[in-house]
Amino acid sequence: MVAHKVVSHAEWVAARKQHLAKEKEFTHLRDQLSRERRELPWELVDKDYTFEGESGTVSLQDLFDGRSQLVVYHAMFNPDTAGPHTTYTADAVCFVCSWWMDNFNGITVHLNHRDITMVAISYAPHEKLAAYKKRMGWSFPWLSSVGSEFNFDYRVSFTPDELTAAKVDYNYRLTPFGMSEAPGTSVFLKNGDKIYHTYSTYARGLDMLNVAYHYMDLVPKGRDEADGGQASWLRRRDEYPD
């Protein structure tokens, strides 16, 4: 570990209080940003999307499971486009998405009691999702959008023609992307028989949904990912070396 400044307790407290003032400022700004996020306009969902899950074919409305708010995690997984260049394989979801899914697996019951249903959706056959879900011991619903335009409409799957072009429309801008699948989170609201899309976030916007990263940001070494980023250390939960 590199050398670091060491001070007396009084100096440490003084420095901590100075930093605390900035933390409080950030907390207030975050609260304001959250309020503004909730005040964003909504768009009506005017397509009848269908998905494949444990109980067969279901609609987007079915995914709410009797609640009025739905959070969808778009997990990268498409066996048909898997290869050496992809973060997912023919049998396993993206290793980074797998980490994100580990992070929310245990909280869905709490969300349910706040009128929120959370599911994951991928462009892979349901049998592939079910096998990996069993491998990880996850309990949240995970559905296949194969045959639906859902992933393409919410900009987490790209057609061959889009990939042939120099850039794809991802994270609200044209950007180079080398895989047919991308990560994201989308939020929906059901009011009577109408469903509204209220929010979607992608790329670094997903950081706030990863609890493990917040703990890493507390410790002296931080995320410690160097130039290799997540690929330099991250593995699926059951693939770390002993």
Side-chain angles (χ1 to χ4, degrees), residues 154-192:
Y154 290 94
R155 308 313 304 154
V156 290
S157 288
F158 312 111
T159 66
D161 287 344
E162 287 179 294
L163 292 172
T164 300
K167 297 179 179 180
V168 301
D169 180 6
Y170 177 64
N171 198 23
Y172 308 106
R173 62 177 180 171
L174 293 176
T175 185
F177 207 84
M179 293 179 280
S180 73
E181 313 302 307
T185 292
S186 294
V187 181
F188 301 88
L189 176 79
K190 184 167 69 70
N191 185 12

Short mmCIF file of all heavy atoms in Angstrom, two decimals, residues 154-192:
data_model
loop_
_atom_site.label_atom_id
_atom_site.label_comp_id
_atom_site.label_asym_id
_atom_site.label_seq_id
_atom_site.Cartn_x
_atom_site.Cartn_y
_atom_site.Cartn_z
N TYR A 154 -36.32 -0.31 -25.70
CA TYR A 154 -35.71 0.34 -24.53
C TYR A 154 -34.19 0.35 -24.60
O TYR A 154 -33.51 0.54 -23.60
CB TYR A 154 -36.26 -0.30 -23.24
CG TYR A 154 -37.71 0.09 -23.07
CD1 TYR A 154 -38.73 -0.74 -23.52
CD2 TYR A 154 -38.05 1.33 -22.55
CE1 TYR A 154 -40.07 -0.35 -23.45
CE2 TYR A 154 -39.38 1.73 -22.45
CZ TYR A 154 -40.38 0.88 -22.90
OH TYR A 154 -41.70 1.28 -22.82
N ARG A 155 -33.67 0.15 -25.80
CA ARG A 155 -32.28 0.41 -26.19
C ARG A 155 -31.25 -0.38 -25.39
O ARG A 155 -30.19 0.13 -25.02
CB ARG A 155 -31.96 1.92 -26.10
CG ARG A 155 -32.94 2.83 -26.84
CD ARG A 155 -33.24 2.35 -28.25
NE ARG A 155 -32.04 2.20 -29.06
CZ ARG A 155 -31.94 1.35 -30.10
NH1 ARG A 155 -32.94 0.56 -30.42
NH2 ARG A 155 -30.82 1.28 -30.78
N VAL A 156 -31.57 -1.67 -25.17
CA VAL A 156 -30.60 -2.56 -24.54
C VAL A 156 -30.27 -3.76 -25.42
O VAL A 156 -29.45 -4.60 -25.03
CB VAL A 156 -31.07 -3.03 -23.15
CG1 VAL A 156 -31.06 -1.86 -22.17
CG2 VAL A 156 -32.45 -3.68 -23.21
N SER A 157 -30.91 -3.88 -26.57
CA SER A 157 -30.55 -4.86 -27.59
C SER A 157 -30.47 -4.15 -28.93
O SER A 157 -31.26 -3.22 -29.18
CB SER A 157 -31.59 -6.00 -27.66
OG SER A 157 -31.51 -6.85 -26.55
N PHE A 158 -29.55 -4.59 -29.76
CA PHE A 158 -29.32 -3.92 -31.03
C PHE A 158 -29.38 -4.92 -32.18
O PHE A 158 -28.91 -6.06 -32.05
CB PHE A 158 -27.96 -3.21 -31.01
CG PHE A 158 -27.75 -2.38 -29.78
CD1 PHE A 158 -26.81 -2.74 -28.82
CD2 PHE A 158 -28.53 -1.25 -29.55
CE1 PHE A 158 -26.63 -1.99 -27.67
CE2 PHE A 158 -28.36 -0.50 -28.40
CZ PHE A 158 -27.41 -0.87 -27.45
N THR A 159 -29.95 -4.49 -33.29
CA THR A 159 -30.09 -5.36 -34.45
C THR A 159 -28.75 -5.49 -35.16
O THR A 159 -27.85 -4.66 -34.99
CB THR A 159 -31.12 -4.78 -35.43
OG1 THR A 159 -30.62 -3.55 -35.95
CG2 THR A 159 -32.47 -4.54 -34.72
N PRO A 160 -28.61 -6.53 -36.01
CA PRO A 160 -27.37 -6.65 -36.80
C PRO A 160 -27.08 -5.42 -37.63
O PRO A 160 -25.91 -5.02 -37.78
CB PRO A 160 -27.64 -7.88 -37.67
CG PRO A 160 -28.60 -8.70 -36.86
CD PRO A 160 -29.48 -7.71 -36.17
N ASP A 161 -28.14 -4.80 -38.18
CA ASP A 161 -27.92 -3.59 -38.99
C ASP A 161 -27.36 -2.45 -38.14
O ASP A 161 -26.50 -1.69 -38.60
CB ASP A 161 -29.24 -3.15 -39.63
CG ASP A 161 -29.66 -4.06 -40.77
OD1 ASP A 161 -28.80 -4.83 -41.26
OD2 ASP A 161 -30.84 -4.02 -41.16
N GLU A 162 -27.85 -2.32 -36.90
CA GLU A 162 -27.35 -1.28 -36.02
C GLU A 162 -25.88 -1.51 -35.69
O GLU A 162 -25.08 -0.58 -35.64
CB GLU A 162 -28.18 -1.23 -34.73
CG GLU A 162 -29.56 -0.65 -34.89
CD GLU A 162 -30.33 -0.65 -33.59
OE1 GLU A 162 -30.63 -1.75 -33.07
OE2 GLU A 162 -30.62 0.45 -33.08
N LEU A 163 -25.53 -2.78 -35.46
CA LEU A 163 -24.15 -3.09 -35.09
C LEU A 163 -23.20 -2.93 -36.27
O LEU A 163 -22.01 -2.68 -36.08
CB LEU A 163 -24.07 -4.53 -34.55
CG LEU A 163 -24.77 -4.75 -33.21
CD1 LEU A 163 -24.80 -6.23 -32.86
CD2 LEU A 163 -24.08 -3.96 -32.10
N THR A 164 -23.73 -3.06 -37.49
CA THR A 164 -22.91 -2.85 -38.68
C THR A 164 -22.51 -1.39 -38.81
O THR A 164 -21.42 -1.07 -39.31
CB THR A 164 -23.66 -3.31 -39.93
OG1 THR A 164 -23.96 -4.71 -39.82
CG2 THR A 164 -22.82 -3.08 -41.18
N ALA A 165 -23.41 -0.51 -38.35
CA ALA A 165 -23.10 0.92 -38.37
C ALA A 165 -21.99 1.23 -37.37
O ALA A 165 -21.69 0.43 -36.48
CB ALA A 165 -24.35 1.73 -38.05
N ALA A 166 -21.42 2.39 -37.48
CA ALA A 166 -20.29 2.74 -36.61
C ALA A 166 -20.73 2.91 -35.16
O ALA A 166 -19.94 2.64 -34.24
CB ALA A 166 -19.63 4.02 -37.11
N LYS A 167 -21.99 3.35 -34.92
CA LYS A 167 -22.44 3.64 -33.57
C LYS A 167 -23.89 3.19 -33.38
O LYS A 167 -24.65 3.10 -34.35
CB LYS A 167 -22.32 5.14 -33.27
CG LYS A 167 -20.90 5.67 -33.31
CD LYS A 167 -20.85 7.17 -33.03
CE LYS A 167 -19.42 7.68 -33.05
NZ LYS A 167 -19.36 9.14 -32.76
N VAL A 168 -24.26 2.91 -32.12
CA VAL A 168 -25.64 2.56 -31.80
C VAL A 168 -26.22 3.62 -30.87
O VAL A 168 -25.49 4.36 -30.20
CB VAL A 168 -25.74 1.17 -31.13
CG1 VAL A 168 -25.18 0.09 -32.05
CG2 VAL A 168 -25.01 1.15 -29.79
N ASP A 169 -27.54 3.68 -30.81
CA ASP A 169 -28.23 4.61 -29.93
C ASP A 169 -28.34 3.99 -28.55
O ASP A 169 -29.20 3.16 -28.30
CB ASP A 169 -29.62 4.92 -30.51
CG ASP A 169 -30.41 5.90 -29.64
OD1 ASP A 169 -29.83 6.42 -28.66
OD2 ASP A 169 -31.60 6.12 -29.93
N TYR A 170 -27.43 4.38 -27.66
CA TYR A 170 -27.39 3.84 -26.30
C TYR A 170 -27.08 4.96 -25.31
O TYR A 170 -26.21 5.79 -25.57
CB TYR A 170 -26.35 2.73 -26.19
CG TYR A 170 -26.19 2.16 -24.79
CD1 TYR A 170 -27.24 1.49 -24.17
CD2 TYR A 170 -25.00 2.29 -24.08
CE1 TYR A 170 -27.12 0.96 -22.89
CE2 TYR A 170 -24.86 1.78 -22.81
CZ TYR A 170 -25.92 1.11 -22.21
OH TYR A 170 -25.79 0.60 -20.93
N ASN A 171 -27.78 4.96 -24.20
CA ASN A 171 -27.60 5.99 -23.16
C ASN A 171 -27.85 7.39 -23.73
O ASN A 171 -27.12 8.34 -23.41
CB ASN A 171 -26.21 5.88 -22.52
CG ASN A 171 -26.13 6.60 -21.20
OD1 ASN A 171 -27.14 6.83 -20.53
ND2 ASN A 171 -24.92 6.96 -20.78
N TYR A 172 -28.86 7.47 -24.59
CA TYR A 172 -29.34 8.75 -25.13
C TYR A 172 -28.33 9.46 -26.03
O TYR A 172 -28.34 10.69 -26.13
CB TYR A 172 -29.81 9.66 -23.99
CG TYR A 172 -30.80 8.95 -23.09
CD1 TYR A 172 -30.42 8.51 -21.83
CD2 TYR A 172 -32.09 8.71 -23.52
CE1 TYR A 172 -31.33 7.84 -21.02
CE2 TYR A 172 -33.00 8.03 -22.71
CZ TYR A 172 -32.62 7.60 -21.46
OH TYR A 172 -33.51 6.92 -20.67
N ARG A 173 -27.49 8.68 -26.65
CA ARG A 173 -26.55 9.26 -27.61
C ARG A 173 -26.03 8.15 -28.52
O ARG A 173 -26.15 6.96 -28.19
CB ARG A 173 -25.37 9.92 -26.89
CG ARG A 173 -24.54 8.95 -26.06
CD ARG A 173 -23.34 9.62 -25.42
NE ARG A 173 -22.57 8.68 -24.64
CZ ARG A 173 -21.38 8.94 -24.11
NH1 ARG A 173 -20.84 10.15 -24.30
NH2 ARG A 173 -20.73 8.04 -23.40
N LEU A 174 -25.45 8.51 -29.63
CA LEU A 174 -24.83 7.55 -30.52
C LEU A 174 -23.43 7.24 -29.97
O LEU A 174 -22.64 8.15 -29.71
CB LEU A 174 -24.73 8.11 -31.93
CG LEU A 174 -26.07 8.30 -32.65
CD1 LEU A 174 -25.85 8.94 -34.02
CD2 LEU A 174 -26.80 6.97 -32.81
N THR A 175 -23.16 5.96 -29.79
CA THR A 175 -21.90 5.57 -29.18
C THR A 175 -21.41 4.25 -29.76
O THR A 175 -22.23 3.39 -30.13
CB THR A 175 -22.06 5.44 -27.65
OG1 THR A 175 -20.81 5.17 -27.04
CG2 THR A 175 -23.03 4.32 -27.29
N PRO A 176 -20.12 4.03 -29.88
CA PRO A 176 -19.62 2.73 -30.35
C PRO A 176 -19.98 1.64 -29.35
O PRO A 176 -19.89 1.84 -28.13
CB PRO A 176 -18.10 2.94 -30.41
CG PRO A 176 -17.91 4.42 -30.44
CD PRO A 176 -19.03 5.00 -29.66
N PHE A 177 -20.42 0.47 -29.83
CA PHE A 177 -20.75 -0.63 -28.93
C PHE A 177 -20.52 -1.92 -29.68
O PHE A 177 -21.02 -2.10 -30.79
CB PHE A 177 -22.20 -0.52 -28.45
CG PHE A 177 -22.44 -1.15 -27.11
CD1 PHE A 177 -22.18 -0.46 -25.94
CD2 PHE A 177 -22.90 -2.47 -27.01
CE1 PHE A 177 -22.39 -1.04 -24.70
CE2 PHE A 177 -23.10 -3.07 -25.77
CZ PHE A 177 -22.85 -2.34 -24.62
N GLY A 178 -19.79 -2.84 -29.06
CA GLY A 178 -19.36 -4.05 -29.77
C GLY A 178 -20.19 -5.28 -29.53
O GLY A 178 -19.86 -6.35 -30.04
N MET A 179 -21.26 -5.17 -28.75
CA MET A 179 -22.10 -6.34 -28.45
C MET A 179 -23.55 -6.04 -28.78
O MET A 179 -23.96 -4.88 -28.83
CB MET A 179 -21.96 -6.72 -26.97
CG MET A 179 -20.60 -7.24 -26.58
SD MET A 179 -20.47 -7.67 -24.81
CE MET A 179 -20.23 -6.04 -24.10
N SER A 180 -24.35 -7.09 -28.95
CA SER A 180 -25.76 -6.90 -29.29
C SER A 180 -26.60 -6.56 -28.08
O SER A 180 -27.75 -6.15 -28.21
CB SER A 180 -26.32 -8.17 -29.95
OG SER A 180 -26.50 -9.21 -28.99
N GLU A 181 -26.04 -6.73 -26.87
CA GLU A 181 -26.79 -6.47 -25.64
C GLU A 181 -26.06 -5.43 -24.79
O GLU A 181 -24.83 -5.36 -24.79
CB GLU A 181 -26.94 -7.75 -24.80
CG GLU A 181 -27.40 -8.97 -25.59
CD GLU A 181 -28.72 -8.75 -26.29
OE1 GLU A 181 -29.69 -8.35 -25.61
OE2 GLU A 181 -28.78 -8.98 -27.52
N ALA A 182 -26.84 -4.63 -24.04
CA ALA A 182 -26.29 -3.62 -23.15
C ALA A 182 -27.10 -3.60 -21.86
O ALA A 182 -28.26 -4.02 -21.83
CB ALA A 182 -26.32 -2.25 -23.81
N PRO A 183 -26.51 -3.12 -20.75
CA PRO A 183 -27.22 -3.10 -19.48
C PRO A 183 -28.05 -1.84 -19.30
O PRO A 183 -27.78 -0.79 -19.90
CB PRO A 183 -26.08 -3.14 -18.45
CG PRO A 183 -24.98 -2.37 -19.13
CD PRO A 183 -25.10 -2.69 -20.60
N GLY A 184 -29.06 -1.93 -18.46
CA GLY A 184 -29.88 -0.76 -18.15
C GLY A 184 -30.93 -1.10 -17.11
O GLY A 184 -31.10 -2.25 -16.72
N THR A 185 -31.62 -0.08 -16.66
CA THR A 185 -32.75 -0.24 -15.74
C THR A 185 -33.86 0.68 -16.21
O THR A 185 -33.61 1.86 -16.52
CB THR A 185 -32.35 0.09 -14.29
OG1 THR A 185 -31.43 -0.89 -13.82
CG2 THR A 185 -33.58 0.10 -13.38
N SER A 186 -35.09 0.16 -16.26
CA SER A 186 -36.24 0.96 -16.66
C SER A 186 -37.33 0.86 -15.61
O SER A 186 -37.48 -0.17 -14.93
CB SER A 186 -36.79 0.48 -18.01
OG SER A 186 -35.86 0.72 -19.04
N VAL A 187 -38.09 1.95 -15.47
CA VAL A 187 -39.13 2.05 -14.45
C VAL A 187 -40.47 2.32 -15.13
O VAL A 187 -40.55 3.14 -16.06
CB VAL A 187 -38.81 3.17 -13.44
CG1 VAL A 187 -39.89 3.23 -12.36
CG2 VAL A 187 -37.44 2.93 -12.80
N PHE A 188 -41.52 1.65 -14.64
CA PHE A 188 -42.85 1.79 -15.20
C PHE A 188 -43.87 1.99 -14.08
O PHE A 188 -43.67 1.52 -12.95
CB PHE A 188 -43.23 0.54 -16.01
CG PHE A 188 -42.29 0.26 -17.15
CD1 PHE A 188 -41.15 -0.52 -16.94
CD2 PHE A 188 -42.52 0.78 -18.40
CE1 PHE A 188 -40.27 -0.78 -17.98
CE2 PHE A 188 -41.64 0.53 -19.46
CZ PHE A 188 -40.52 -0.26 -19.25
N LEU A 189 -44.95 2.66 -14.41
CA LEU A 189 -46.05 2.89 -13.48
C LEU A 189 -47.35 2.42 -14.13
O LEU A 189 -47.60 2.70 -15.31
CB LEU A 189 -46.16 4.37 -13.13
CG LEU A 189 -47.35 4.75 -12.23
CD1 LEU A 189 -47.04 4.40 -10.78
CD2 LEU A 189 -47.68 6.23 -12.36
N LYS A 190 -48.17 1.72 -13.36
CA LYS A 190 -49.48 1.28 -13.84
C LYS A 190 -50.56 2.07 -13.12
O LYS A 190 -50.60 2.10 -11.90
CB LYS A 190 -49.68 -0.21 -13.61
CG LYS A 190 -51.00 -0.77 -14.18
CD LYS A 190 -50.99 -2.29 -14.21
CE LYS A 190 -51.04 -2.86 -12.80
NZ LYS A 190 -52.36 -2.62 -12.15
N ASN A 191 -51.41 2.74 -13.90
CA ASN A 191 -52.52 3.51 -13.36
C ASN A 191 -53.79 3.05 -14.07
O ASN A 191 -54.02 3.39 -15.23
CB ASN A 191 -52.29 5.01 -13.57
CG ASN A 191 -53.36 5.86 -12.92
OD1 ASN A 191 -54.16 5.36 -12.13
ND2 ASN A 191 -53.39 7.13 -13.25
N GLY A 192 -54.60 2.24 -13.39
CA GLY A 192 -55.75 1.64 -14.04
C GLY A 192 -55.29 0.66 -15.09
O GLY A 192 -54.48 -0.22 -14.82
#
